[in-house]
Amino acid sequence: MPPPVPVLKPENAMPTIWTDWMEEQDTPCFLCTPKDRQELVALLESAPNLRTLRIRAKGSGHSSSEVGAPRRGGFVVDFRRFSLDSAQIAPSWWKQAWKTAKPGALRHDATLARVAGSMTVAKLNSSLRNENPARAVLNLGSYDAQTVAGVVSTATHGSGMVSGPISDFVVSIELVSVVKDVHGNPEVKSFRIEPKDGVTDPVKFRAATALHGMELVQEDDAFYSAVVGLGCFGIVTALTLQVVPAFSLVERRALHAWSELAPR
């Protein structure tokens, strides 16, 4: 069944049927495939009905919950063509103090990696492994086909008991959202959101506004709400993560009787 045609829709939006990875959910909707954040902003600005437009970002469709599914006749942003912007200049925004003293760091040897929200966990692992020296994410789940934005936004758990999920390693999140302007009208804006004492130097960041086009927000409640935001705060375009030097895992197996384990 073709999707109902809305009165107004973003430019270049094509009718499609969205399905999740298990094909248990399927929804007629309109699809756009922006290649970067600037094109995403332009697509949203081309929709005159921003007040009522229902927007979802499409990652790997791995969630079986309706929270990740588009509404019938809604608008889906597919990130398969999406690339990371400002990749070369982003490290210059980071505070020198974090690079040296690393206040609040995950570990003393943690470093920062800024990645596209559209990148899959598999590609993130491969990219970090191919660096010199090689790096890695401290804790991950057993599946790697989800996008980084997807696993962070839904707080996908890891496989370890002594460290948090990947959302705990986020120090900065970038998203495109629709907010109200001074007159109460919808406005498309790009944000970089961090805790109060975030890793970004506000002076350096604002001096480069003409290059990246984002507004910096350093506020605890905004950051912790947006990181595991289930898509409610906007479309996640990039994240800065704490990563660690590459490591190997050692598996140990032992056979115990239940009578030995039960008291524990």
Side-chain angles (χ1 to χ4, degrees):
M1 179 185 299
V5 179
V7 177
L8 299 169
K9 65 180 179 65
E11 294 178 358
N12 305 319
M14 301 298 295
T16 188
I17 303 294
W18 177 89
T19 59
D20 63 15
W21 72 300
M22 296 184 68
E23 298 185 350
E24 291 184 345
Q25 301 181 81
D26 54 84
T27 307
C29 55
F30 290 91
L31 183 74
C32 283
T33 55
K35 67 178 185 297
D36 54 32
R37 182 167 51 83
Q38 290 75 15
E39 193 168 294
L40 171 61
V41 170
L43 284 167
L44 294 176
E45 290 178 339
S46 73
N49 56 334
L50 277 176
R51 289 183 186 276
T52 57
L53 188 65
R54 292 177 173 178
I55 306 169
R56 288 288 187 276
K58 178 183 182 297
S60 302
H62 193 260
S63 174
S64 57
S65 167
E66 292 184 1
V67 71
R71 299 301 178 92
R72 180 179 175 83
F75 170 42
V76 173
V77 177
D78 189 325
F79 280 112
R80 282 177 294 185
R81 296 175 56 236
F82 205 83
S83 61
L84 184 67
D85 65 281
S86 306
Q88 300 302 316
I89 65 171
S92 67
W93 306 335
W94 299 338
K95 292 177 180 176
Q96 186 61 35
W98 202 96
K99 298 177 184 178
T100 54
K102 301 182 180 179
L106 179 69
R107 287 184 357 186
H108 74 279
D109 55 357
T111 51
L112 301 179
R114 180 173 176 265
V115 302
S118 58
M119 177 181 280
T120 64
V121 174
K123 289 183 178 179
L124 171 61
N125 289 335
S126 176
S127 175
L128 292 173
R129 184 174 61 249
N130 291 331
E131 292 181 351
N132 187 17
R135 300 189 292 171
V137 181
L138 181 61
N139 190 21
L140 290 169
S142 60
Y143 187 72
D144 62 4
Q146 308 106 310
T147 61
V148 177
V151 297
V152 168
S153 297
T154 56
T156 298
H157 62 80
S159 56
M161 296 179 64
V162 296
S163 58
I166 191 172
S167 53
D168 278 7
F169 312 149
V170 178
V171 297
S172 187
I173 183 169
E174 298 168 30
L175 50 82
V176 175
S177 187
V178 178
V179 298
K180 291 183 179 180
D181 64 15
V182 294
H183 303 293
N185 298 315
E187 177 184 15
V188 180
K189 294 191 70 174
S190 299
F191 295 95
R192 181 176 171 92
I193 305 176
E194 299 177 356
K196 181 180 179 180
D197 297 317
V199 299
T200 299
D201 185 312
V203 176
K204 293 179 180 179
F205 186 81
R206 287 167 186 144
T209 299
L211 297 175
H212 55 69
M214 291 182 283
E215 177 180 325
L216 179 64
V217 176
Q218 292 181 316
E219 199 272 326
D220 288 346
D221 287 346
F223 173 72
Y224 292 112
S225 298
V227 170
V228 188
L230 301 176
C232 297
F233 286 80
I235 297 174
V236 178
T237 57
L239 303 107
T240 301
L241 309 172
Q242 293 190 56
V243 295
V244 298
F247 58 92
S248 298
L249 295 176
V250 176
E251 181 181 34
R252 294 186 177 90
R253 296 185 181 186
L255 184 64
H256 295 275
W258 175 246
S259 59
E260 297 177 66
L261 298 177
R264 300 182 186 180

